[in-house]
Amino acid sequence: FSNKFKANLGVHFSGFLVNKKTYASVQPRVSMRYLISEDQSLKFSFSTMRQYIQLLSFDGIGLPTDLWVPTTDRIKPQDSWQVAAGYAFKLSEDWNVTVEGYYKQMKNLINYKEGSGLFALNDWQDRVTQGEGTSYGAEFFLQKKTGRFSGWVGYTLSWTDRQFDELNNGERFPYRFDRRHDISVVAQYELGPKISLSGAWVYGTGNAVSLPRSKYRTYFAEDFSGSIYPQQIQDIPERNNFRMGAYHRLDIGINFSKKTKWGERTWSIGAYNVYNRKNPFFIDISNEYELNEQTGQFETIGKLKQQALFPIIPYFSYNFKF
């Protein structure tokens, strides 16, 4: 529109045919930028999207299992729209800052029904329900692009929730990957024209999981045969009512680069998770027995045990660019 104000306008169309059922979607999108000055700008975007492959996550405290399942003639595709606005400015010739806020609305999301899970034998379409969700937050980004020392600091404050009529009494609950705080710090320092040091530290709020308040065992008779089978019942007051421990780690490396007549090669040596953080992967509930001095009987006490996956991992790599 002018030297200061520019916009990209577009429309995306998609279609999906399954079992003689057709899903069609028209998705308008727009992004705009306005230059306040040479060092400052405002940005705005709006987009609508449709996705025909959906993520189905297990909300329990056991081994995390994520499945990707397709749209069917019974399971509708996921729809969403998102709006974002930001402000970017230069602190100096080397330093740039961006502050941005966003809001996203989603519908036709899927989740397991109460009492259903990965290992049930009936059709997975019978084990899921569809609902809606929201995601919103603010992001801060500080970056240095030039000089012997370069890198960036990023911080995101966000909320993500879900709402299903058949789950959690219809009340909203935090999504498994709701991450209140997300931080990344990345730096690189050139010791010389051929040697550089690099490091990255990341931090994230722990995943939300459903923790039972109590559990008990009941018995029921199998039809026809009359056999008795045990069934474990868990009392979960609300969905994703517990937070696992925070995730954080530090990665470091040293890079040896050399330009050749065919391109540039780089040798890298370093380690992931340098301080050997035992980041939570899933939680186990184990039973321990304690003597009740008043009754003289042993009582079963459930204890939570956090299981980690990766310790410190050294690495060696070779890259060649041409």
Side-chain angles (χ1 to χ4, degrees):
F1 295 95
S2 68
N3 291 333
K4 289 188 175 182
F5 180 56
K6 295 183 178 181
N8 289 323
L9 308 175
V11 176
H12 179 83
F13 173 82
S14 69
F16 191 79
L17 174 64
V18 53
N19 290 342
K20 297 182 180 181
K21 185 175 181 62
T22 302
Y23 297 97
S25 174
V26 178
Q27 306 158 28
R29 299 170 183 178
V30 58
S31 63
M32 296 181 290
R33 185 208 65 185
Y34 179 76
L35 291 177
I36 301 174
S37 66
E38 293 183 356
D39 299 331
Q40 302 179 73
S41 64
L42 295 175
K43 299 179 180 180
F44 172 84
S45 67
F46 173 82
S47 61
T48 57
M49 291 159 283
R50 168 165 285 186
Q51 184 169 303
Y52 300 101
I53 302 294
Q54 295 213 42
L55 178 63
L56 180 59
S57 298
F58 178 65
D59 292 334
I61 61 174
L63 189 67
T65 303
D66 295 334
L67 299 176
W68 289 97
V69 295
T71 294
T72 70
D73 54 347
R74 295 170 53 190
I75 304 299
K76 297 179 181 179
Q78 173 183 319
D79 289 312
S80 69
W81 62 265
Q82 176 174 296
V83 60
Y87 172 61
F89 62 96
K90 284 186 177 181
L91 289 176
S92 65
E93 291 298 323
D94 297 332
W95 293 89
N96 297 317
V97 175
T98 301
V99 180
E100 183 172 303
Y102 68 94
Y103 179 87
K104 184 176 185 179
Q105 182 75 47
M106 297 161 282
K107 66 178 182 178
N108 297 329
L109 306 176
I110 63 173
N111 207 322
Y112 286 112
K113 294 179 180 179
E114 297 288 358
S116 295
L118 176 66
F119 299 107
L121 299 180
N122 54 323
D123 188 342
W124 69 269
Q125 297 176 90
D126 298 326
R127 307 199 307 267
V128 301
T129 181
Q130 294 199 271
E132 62 181 30
T134 58
S135 181
Y136 57 92
E139 300 179 346
F140 172 83
F141 189 68
L142 172 66
Q143 184 178 29
K144 185 177 185 295
K145 295 183 178 180
T146 59
R148 296 179 63 183
F149 173 78
S150 60
W152 69 80
V153 177
Y155 170 71
T156 302
L157 175 66
S158 62
W159 289 262
T160 301
D161 59 33
R162 296 288 188 265
Q163 190 276 323
F164 297 85
D165 293 338
E166 298 182 52
L167 301 178
N168 205 48
N169 297 318
E171 300 291 335
R172 289 189 174 271
F173 58 90
Y175 185 44
R176 177 181 180 86
F177 301 111
D178 173 52
R179 182 164 291 177
R180 191 72 65 248
H181 306 285
D182 190 284
I183 304 172
S184 61
V185 181
V186 177
Q188 179 170 304
Y189 183 74
E190 296 181 359
L191 296 174
K194 298 181 180 180
I195 305 177
S196 64
L197 297 174
S198 61
W201 182 76
V202 294
Y203 173 92
T205 301
N207 290 344
V209 294
S210 298
L211 182 67
R213 178 171 51 191
S214 61
K215 62 180 181 179
Y216 58 93
R217 178 170 293 186
T218 185
Y219 293 86
F220 63 93
E222 184 73 9
D223 291 340
F224 305 113
S225 67
S227 301
I228 303 298
Y229 291 92
Q231 183 181 36
Q232 182 173 277
I233 306 298
Q234 292 186 346
D235 175 22
I236 300 177
E238 57 184 14
R239 283 263 173 160
N240 292 343
N241 58 344
F242 180 78
R243 287 282 181 175
M244 298 174 65
Y247 179 98
H248 57 85
R249 75 171 199 271
L250 173 66
D251 306 333
I252 61 171
I254 182 170
N255 310 302
F256 303 91
S257 301
K258 182 179 180 180
K259 291 184 178 181
T260 68
K261 62 180 180 179
W262 297 105
E264 181 180 1
R265 63 108 177 111
T266 302
W267 297 92
S268 299
I269 302 174
Y272 299 105
N273 195 14
V274 173
Y275 50 81
N276 201 33
R277 162 73 176 176
K278 296 294 192 284
N279 283 301
F281 187 59
F282 67 94
I283 295 176
D284 272 338
I285 297 182
S286 60
N287 293 329
E288 296 184 5
Y289 302 95
E290 295 183 1
L291 178 64
N292 188 321
E293 297 181 355
Q294 295 180 351
T295 63
Q297 296 180 345
F298 284 93
E299 296 181 349
T300 303
I301 306 297
K303 295 292 182 73
L304 297 179
K305 292 186 178 181
Q306 176 179 290
Q307 304 295 337
L309 188 62
F310 295 115
I312 179 174
I313 301 177
Y315 72 84
F316 171 80
S317 67
Y318 173 81
N319 296 280
F320 184 77
K321 297 179 181 179
F322 58 92

